[in-house]
Amino acid sequence: MNPPSLPPVPRRSALRLWLWLFVLAPLLLFLVLAASVASFLHLGSDARALRNGLIKSSGVEWRQQIAVNAGHLTLDAVRAGLSRVKLDPAARAALQSVRSAGVGVYQLPPGASRPDRAAMLAAADSTMTARGWERVVGVMDHKDLVAIYLPGKNVSVHHLKFCVMVFDGKEMVLVSAQGNPEPLLQYALNQSDLCAQARRLAQR
Amino acid sequence: MTRYPLAIAVLAAGVGFNVLAGPPPGQVDFGKFTPPGDGGQFVEIQINSNLLSLAAQVVEKQQPDAAKLLRSVQLVHVNVVGLTDGNRAELEKRVGQIRHNLDAQGWDHNVAVQEKDGQDVGIYTKTRGGEALAGLAITVIQPKEQVVLINIVGDIRPEQVAALGDKLDIKPLKDIGAALKKPAPKDTAPKEAAPEN
């Protein structure tokens, strides 16, 4: 007895699927690459919220000079790429410490009135507190304003996050980073003359 | 509800305990300060136990004594506000109120120094169980410059303030700590200098 005949293989559908994949794969790859490149040019969400709060409170249109961001994947790739390269121990320690980092630099346009730093600090506090951060340092002196924020909870030496804002009356710099500072601190503590060097630099 | 009386009692006690816990006994609420205008100085530092513990972990291997000192502290709070014609009266009044509150809350007023140039220093300590210190509060009015308020929660003595400032690299702490170490100059008039602990 002959077996019942099988239904015809849908060759045309399979072919169509492969065709779509062939067309879509490069497109997806392009989109992923574009998203990755775009992510390099945007700050992380906390730093972005801090920047928006500061800009809004200052009432001035700031000029963005630079905004770069490197996330876990990027830095993991850099670490892997440089793993066999002979690096300066300090650079190696820094690379091992940082898991993600972002920097934004913004400038006041010429002729703009100097923003109220107290209002900027209050706005920064309000934004960051709402996101679970605490200000550990706030300094205003002459034209300068410095604020350092750390997460309100779960601060650990193995997983440290921070956001720093520095404004010198003309330029505002925002830095956010996340990582494990142990390798870098270990390197610093092993340098017997590092503290003396730092003091000498600070006195200049 | 009546099936779990023990669980309900434990939960109620826990909630009640949390409500009653509040801030540690050595903590002082200096309140919020408004930065002075005209580029006046304003410094606010608040380092809590998380960060202090982190700092202790970092220095543990190389400097065990420093780690021990850092672990004995739960909170370091420093306020420096520059005095201007606009805020002088208000800030001096506010420091007076803080000192009054500390006296009223049973803090020991260990040192009160008023120098000829008008510098006014007050050092207060709060003891826990008669021996260990629960907190330290320092108020300084430098009439031509600034008001400095320091609160350190934990078992730390005034003579250790400079070392703590050194380890945390906080300049106002270093300055005040160094001033506390110096012998009292001749033109000072200590009002009270009898540590009770």
Side-chain angles (χ1 to χ4, degrees):
Chain A
M1 191 177 163
N2 290 333
S5 60
L6 291 168
V9 179
R11 281 189 185 168
R12 289 186 70 179
S13 325
L15 192 68
R16 197 173 290 167
L17 185 70
W18 279 109
L19 196 67
W20 272 110
L21 276 177
F22 185 74
V23 172
L24 284 178
L27 190 67
L28 275 173
L29 192 65
F30 174 75
L31 286 174
V32 168
L33 276 173
S36 307
V37 170
S39 76
F40 293 148
L41 305 174
H42 286 91
L43 294 175
S45 64
D46 290 316
R48 213 166 48 231
L50 177 62
R51 177 200 61 192
N52 293 345
L54 285 163
I55 287 177
K56 196 177 170 189
S57 68
S58 68
V60 179
E61 287 288 325
W62 295 71
R63 283 180 181 175
Q64 180 177 303
Q65 300 294 300
I66 190 169
V68 287
N69 190 48
H72 294 257
L73 284 174
T74 310
L75 287 170
D76 282 347
V78 170
R79 261 188 293 277
L82 294 175
S83 60
R84 293 183 187 275
V85 177
K86 195 178 177 186
L87 276 180
D88 180 75
R92 172 84 60 203
L95 199 59
Q96 282 174 343
S97 290
V98 183
R99 296 284 158 210
S100 66
V103 179
V105 181
Y106 306 87
Q107 203 170 39
L108 278 178
S113 58
R114 192 181 298 162
D116 179 357
R117 293 169 309 151
M120 285 172 71
L121 186 63
D125 283 356
S126 163
T127 304
M128 295 305 271
T129 307
R131 298 176 76 89
W133 293 72
E134 276 180 5
R135 176 159 56 77
V136 291
V137 175
V139 178
M140 269 188 226
D141 203 6
H142 302 292
K143 294 177 186 173
D144 301 333
L145 168 63
V146 178
I148 303 175
Y149 296 88
L150 291 180
K153 288 178 183 171
N154 304 327
V155 177
S156 140
V157 75
H158 305 295
H159 185 79
L160 187 70
K161 279 168 80 177
F162 68 84
C163 261
V164 178
M165 185 270 288
V166 179
F167 172 52
D168 68 355
K170 287 180 183 171
E171 265 187 351
M172 176 169 74
V173 179
L174 296 177
V175 178
S176 70
Q178 186 178 341
N180 173 6
E182 260 188 330
L184 197 55
L185 291 167
Q186 208 56 51
Y187 169 79
L189 289 168
N190 288 338
Q191 307 301 304
S192 55
D193 64 334
L194 198 72
C195 288
Q197 281 180 27
R199 280 200 192 99
R200 275 200 298 276
L201 279 171
Q203 283 165 1
R204 276 184 195 174
Chain B
M1 285 289 280
T2 52
R3 287 180 68 187
Y4 308 104
L6 184 63
I8 291 166
V10 168
L11 192 66
V15 170
F17 188 75
N18 277 337
V19 168
L20 292 173
Q27 190 171 339
V28 184
D29 183 8
F30 293 138
K32 278 272 173 197
F33 288 90
T34 310
D38 309 328
Q41 198 185 24
F42 179 81
V43 177
E44 194 169 54
I45 297 169
Q46 178 143 342
I47 301 180
N48 61 19
S49 55
N50 278 339
L51 207 54
L52 288 161
S53 157
L54 191 147
Q57 282 178 53
V58 168
V59 298
E60 184 114 56
K61 285 178 190 165
Q62 270 79 8
Q63 303 172 45
D65 288 344
K68 196 178 165 189
L69 176 69
L70 291 170
R71 282 191 204 287
S72 65
V73 178
Q74 294 165 36
L75 175 80
V76 176
H77 188 157
V78 179
N79 277 109
V80 181
V81 187
L83 287 174
T84 62
D85 291 339
N87 68 6
R88 189 182 312 274
E90 188 221 324
L91 282 174
E92 286 179 357
K93 188 178 167 191
R94 195 150 157 198
V95 173
Q97 186 62 48
I98 289 167
R99 289 175 178 175
H100 176 76
N101 290 346
L102 290 171
D103 284 327
Q105 288 164 12
W107 284 66
D108 300 325
H109 193 170
N110 301 111
V111 177
V113 178
Q114 284 182 323
E115 294 188 17
K116 274 183 181 171
D117 63 0
Q119 178 161 301
D120 186 349
V121 181
I123 301 175
Y124 298 78
T125 52
K126 180 100 172 170
T127 51
R128 186 179 46 210
E131 285 191 13
L133 282 176
L136 172 71
I138 301 172
T139 64
V140 182
I141 301 174
Q142 293 170 317
K144 288 175 188 169
E145 293 172 46
Q146 59 196 13
V147 159
V148 182
L149 298 168
I150 296 171
N151 177 215
I152 300 170
V153 181
D155 189 8
I156 183 160
R157 292 173 189 283
E159 56 269 23
Q160 291 176 300
V161 170
L164 186 68
D166 209 35
K167 298 303 165 207
L168 295 173
D169 201 13
I170 299 176
K171 192 173 177 292
L173 275 188
K174 286 188 217 175
D175 293 347
I176 297 295
L180 293 178
K181 277 182 177 174
K182 280 182 197 167
K186 284 178 185 174
D187 60 352
T188 59
K191 284 196 288 194
E192 194 179 332
E196 291 174 27
N197 51 314

